[in-house]
Amino acid sequence: MLRIMGKFSVNALKSSSLCNKYMYFRNTKIRVVGVTQQDCSLRNYSSPAGDVKSLHSVINPHISRIRNIGIMAHIDAGKTTTTERMLYYSGYIRTLGDVDDGDTVTDFMAQERERGITIQSAAVTFDWKDYRINLIDTPGHVDFTVEVERCLRVLDGAVAVFDASAGVEAQTLTVWRQADKHQIPRICFLNKMDKNRASFTYAVESIKQKLKTKPLLLQLPIGEAKTFRGLVDVVTKEQIIWKPASDVDDGKNFERKLLLETDDPNLFQEVQDARNTLIEQYPAFYLKKYVSDRKVCKKSVGFFPLFSGPFLKEEGVDQYTLYLPAPNERSYEFLQWYKDDLCALAFKVLHDKCRGPLVFVRVYSGSLKPQSAVYNINKSCTMIRLLLPFADQQIEIPSLMPGNIALTVWLKQ
Ligand SMILES: Nc1nc2c(ncn2[C@@H]2O[C@H](COP(=O)(O)OP(=O)(O)OP(=O)(O)O)[C@@H](O)[C@H]2O)c(=O)[nH]1
Ligand SMILES: [Mg+2]
């Protein structure tokens, strides 16, 4: 845990040793700092027209609008692909990257791009509607279990991704237990519904048996594997059907309409049954009220809404902001000892050739400012810069408020 000791000026690192450029984020000119000197090329950042925000709202949104989310699963379940889709639909990138082509935002290391796997967890910060999402894409390989646990403990919610053709796999079981240990509220996401041998029934059964949990089926797929073409919302009975515009479909074209019995009597009956099961599971709630309150999800770690995909525009990210809690909706016992003093946890260190160690911190209380002296357990150190992470690129920020995650550059002691 880190605490502020006092403030004094230090010589900042020479800017010439850094890869600095400017970019426009939400129409605000911001300095971008590349992690590696070799690759400082800027990506295409876009923001929806007319969506102008002040720098302050971009840097420090209200705590209730922050979501610190991790994506966890077995290797190859589709975590990085899901992360990439979220960045694309939120307007953070203009072209959808692909793990197989080695051009995703979060798998930026050369080895990751060559091998098509995630080796280190990568953090990206982006805005979704009025929400600030700090997302951590974790590796699925068993060798990186410790890396996942380090990230999980600073998150307020997680998305467990399942391959619909494989159900619960070994590493998913491990990370699920880690999330249990840190009492992290979770959403289950059934990915790869379009893949050969994908089976909704099998995957749900596997979650029930292996994770010993009863997921709440909030969406049902329309078709499976090659016949997969959309989803039905069990609460609203609204169906979302893909309308691929071309072979290279980015999932942005879809149609929404109410599911009627005449459309598909079997599917209608399945939705009706799933709805009745939901009401049996939570009889005290009227479904709509329960969805808008989200109280069950925030207070109990035994509530696991289940959605299926591939990821859809709006639908997916909306679920994360709706069902996963904000930092101030979680209770951290240790905060009673800090009150308004700085309390932050350093959970990951990156080594950068130019700047030395870059430390990821999650702020729980107080605020963190550049060029301040901070007390770190048994020694004091000086924090020089604060950066918001965008995978391998960062934006320099003037302060960090509670509930946020950022990168810090420290003065060597
Ligand atoms: N058919 C299909 N393939 C998918 C889908 N999502 C991901 N894939 C493929 O699955 C493979 C693994 O995807 P990744 O996103 O790298 O999986 P990951 O969970 O990040 O893998 P690690 O980080 O290495 O554990 C890639 O070949 C993706 O193209 C999906 O919805 N449908
Ligand atoms: Mg990955």
Side-chain angles (χ1 to χ4, degrees):
M1 290 289 170
L2 309 170
R3 292 178 59 200
I4 278 209
M5 288 185 71
K7 294 176 195 164
F8 56 88
S9 287
V10 292
N11 290 329
L13 287 176
K14 281 182 190 165
S15 56
S16 58
S17 68
L18 303 170
C19 304
N20 294 338
K21 289 196 177 185
Y22 290 91
M23 67 174 233
Y24 286 85
F25 179 68
R26 300 284 192 206
N27 295 355
T28 309
K29 190 179 182 188
I30 309 171
R31 188 160 61 146
V32 179
V33 188
V35 165
T36 53
Q37 271 189 310
Q38 304 93 319
D39 183 12
C40 294
S41 59
L42 293 183
R43 287 192 194 91
N44 280 331
Y45 295 88
S46 64
S47 56
D51 185 17
V52 184
K53 287 188 175 175
S54 72
L55 186 65
H56 187 265
S57 75
V58 169
I59 302 307
N60 281 313
H62 190 267
I63 191 163
S64 63
R65 295 274 151 189
I66 299 173
R67 296 291 183 273
N68 295 314
I69 300 169
I71 308 260
M72 58 176 207
H74 188 81
I75 191 161
D76 269 2
K79 298 176 290 296
T80 303
T81 308
T82 303
T83 306
E84 187 75 10
R85 287 174 191 155
M86 289 173 74
L87 294 176
Y88 178 64
Y89 297 142
S90 65
Y92 166 57
I93 47 174
R94 283 199 183 122
T95 46
L96 191 56
D98 192 320
V99 178
D100 304 321
D101 298 337
D103 59 357
T104 58
V105 173
T106 49
D107 281 356
F108 58 83
M109 280 168 65
Q111 299 97 310
E112 292 180 317
R113 296 195 154 185
E114 271 164 30
R115 298 166 66 185
I117 59 161
T118 304
I119 293 173
Q120 60 163 5
S121 49
V124 276
T125 300
F126 63 95
D127 287 343
W128 176 256
K129 298 183 180 169
D130 287 343
Y131 292 90
R132 155 63 47 83
I133 299 184
N134 297 315
L135 189 81
I136 299 189
D137 173 24
T138 65
H141 198 280
V142 63
D143 290 351
F144 310 116
T145 307
V146 178
E147 167 101 358
V148 180
E149 178 146 7
R150 258 191 239 123
C151 294
L152 273 182
R153 62 183 291 205
V154 299
L155 297 170
D156 302 310
V159 180
V161 181
F162 301 87
D163 178 336
S165 66
V168 176
E169 297 169 277
Q171 189 60 8
T172 312
L173 209 55
T174 308
V175 291
W176 188 270
R177 286 188 189 130
Q178 289 174 329
D180 277 343
K181 184 170 145 196
H182 297 290
Q183 302 204 318
I184 310 287
R186 268 149 281 170
I187 280 181
C188 300
F189 177 62
L190 274 195
N191 194 31
K192 304 197 184 182
M193 278 306 303
D194 60 326
K195 196 179 153 186
N196 274 344
R197 299 197 311 277
S199 164
F200 184 75
T201 321
Y202 167 76
V204 171
E205 222 22 65
S206 162
I207 292 173
K208 285 184 188 164
Q209 302 289 329
K210 295 191 181 160
L211 301 180
K212 310 239 175 314
T213 181
K214 270 193 186 169
L216 292 184
L217 306 189
L218 295 182
Q219 282 180 346
L220 293 187
I222 307 176
E224 283 177 344
K226 282 193 178 142
T227 61
F228 178 71
R229 57 181 209 286
L231 306 163
V232 194
D233 187 312
V234 172
V235 179
T236 60
K237 290 193 186 163
E238 188 182 49
Q239 46 179 342
I240 301 154
I241 300 171
W242 270 276
K243 300 271 171 203
S246 66
D247 287 350
V248 196
D249 179 44
D250 63 3
K252 278 192 173 181
N253 292 319
F254 58 88
E255 182 191 15
R256 278 171 196 272
K257 58 176 185 179
L258 200 64
L259 175 69
L260 302 173
E261 194 167 5
T262 45
D263 292 340
D264 185 338
N266 290 342
L267 183 63
F268 188 83
Q269 190 54 47
E270 276 176 42
V271 172
Q272 202 62 30
D273 293 346
R275 212 178 140 86
N276 291 342
T277 313
L278 264 185
I279 295 167
E280 277 165 27
Q281 274 172 288
Y282 290 92
F285 287 88
Y286 287 111
L287 279 180
K288 283 214 168 144
K289 180 168 165 36
Y290 131 83
V291 170
S292 63
D293 278 4
R294 301 171 296 136
K295 286 203 169 109
V296 193
C297 185
K298 286 175 185 172
K299 294 206 168 137
S300 155
V301 287
F303 168 87
F304 304 113
L306 185 135
F307 301 96
S308 50
F311 218 68
L312 265 180
K313 180 176 164 62
E314 302 219 340
E315 288 302 304
V317 197
D318 272 350
Q319 291 147 13
Y320 299 175
T321 50
L322 189 65
Y323 290 97
L324 292 175
N328 60 344
E329 289 167 326
R330 304 219 48 218
S331 66
Y332 294 104
E333 265 179 37
F334 55 80
L335 279 183
Q336 59 182 303
W337 310 113
Y338 292 88
K339 299 209 167 85
D340 291 336
D341 290 343
L342 173 72
C343 168
L345 183 73
F347 63 95
K348 180 177 162 74
V349 181
L350 274 181
H351 285 276
D352 175 51
K353 279 185 191 155
C354 304
R355 285 168 284 165
L358 298 176
V359 183
F360 279 90
V361 289
R362 151 86 196 248
V363 178
Y364 289 91
S365 67
S367 67
L368 206 51
K369 293 207 169 92
Q371 307 201 344
S372 53
V374 172
Y375 183 74
N376 180 11
I377 303 292
N378 55 3
K379 63 177 181 188
S380 67
C381 28
T382 306
M383 203 259 305
I384 306 171
R385 284 172 156 201
L386 272 175
L387 309 165
L388 272 189
F390 287 85
D392 57 339
Q393 296 173 356
Q394 293 101 32
I395 288 175
E396 195 160 350
I397 50 167
S399 67
L400 197 64
M401 305 306 280
N404 275 299
I405 289 177
L407 264 169
T408 53
V409 183
W410 299 87
L411 193 69
K412 279 186 190 152
Q413 300 282 326

